Amino acid sequence: MTISVSGREVAVKGPKGELTLELASPIEISVEESQVLVTRPDDERESRSLHGLTRTLINNNIIGVTQGYTKGLEVVGTGYRVQQKGNSIEFALGFSHPVLVDAPAGITLTVEGNNKVTVSGIDKQAVGEAAANIRKIRKPEPYKGKGVRYAGEVVRRKAGKAGK
């Protein structure tokens, strides 16, 4: 893995790919041996917050190009299913039509069984956004819990209407 700094641009290159990051104005960065040092000019509130943000964004890029990020989704509901269609995936979610979702650039969508989807890629923000957009198609509803949810997400259930 290599990290190169040119002006306000930080490029991280690893076995899975390359990511770049634009630095915020007061923050400085330097690469020394096997360490990336992020420094701030003063202890102003904005400088402190940008310092932590920049450090975390660089760390996310390093993890992304070495290990990558994955986010799991589950499709829950009778008759709800998902299947792979080439590079895109097709959802049957109780609508009158199947919903086709194309993978954004740099994101891989894989289907396991007929109710699990894995979103993977090197950019943490892009993986999270792609997973959120898929979940947005049919959010889990609180009465029966049907819909697309994140793996391990707990859906709060409500009591239905009371019978006579």
Side-chain angles (χ1 to χ4, degrees), residues 75-81 91-99 137-138 146-147:
V75 178
V76 178
T78 308
Y80 287 15
R81 61 184 185 280
F91 288 92
L93 296 172
F95 296 120
S96 61
H97 60 286
V99 179
I137 297 168
R138 175 78 85 180
K146 293 165 60 168

Side-chain angles (χ1 to χ4, degrees), residues 1 3 12 19 36 57-67:
M1 181 197 62
I3 300 169
V12 182
L19 290 171
V36 178
L57 290 175
I58 292 170
N59 188 49
N60 287 347
N61 285 357
I62 291 169
I63 292 170
V65 297
T66 54
Q67 301 165 2

Side-chain angles (χ1 to χ4, degrees), residues 52-157:
L53 173 71
T54 304
R55 184 233 156 268
T56 303
L57 290 175
I58 292 170
N59 188 49
N60 287 347
N61 285 357
I62 291 169
I63 292 170
V65 297
T66 54
Q67 301 165 2
Y69 287 101
T70 59
K71 198 108 171 146
L73 294 165
E74 298 170 346
V75 178
V76 178
T78 308
Y80 287 15
R81 61 184 185 280
V82 60
Q83 60 190 113
Q84 194 91 32
K85 289 275 183 167
N87 196 23
S88 58
I89 53 177
E90 182 181 75
F91 288 92
L93 296 172
F95 296 120
S96 61
H97 60 286
V99 179
L100 228 71
V101 176
D102 295 321
I107 301 294
T108 310
L109 302 173
T110 54
V111 177
E112 297 140 30
N114 61 356
N115 64 348
K116 289 193 185 336
V117 178
T118 305
V119 182
S120 56
I122 61 171
D123 188 0
K124 185 176 188 177
Q125 192 261 336
V127 169
E129 186 175 359
N133 286 338
I134 292 172
R135 182 180 181 269
K136 202 189 314 180
I137 297 168
R138 175 78 85 180
K139 287 185 184 167
E141 53 98 16
Y143 296 102
K144 289 187 177 179
K146 293 165 60 168
V148 180
R149 61 176 77 164
Y150 297 121
E153 179 182 3
V154 177
V155 176
R156 290 200 44 202
R157 302 289 294 274

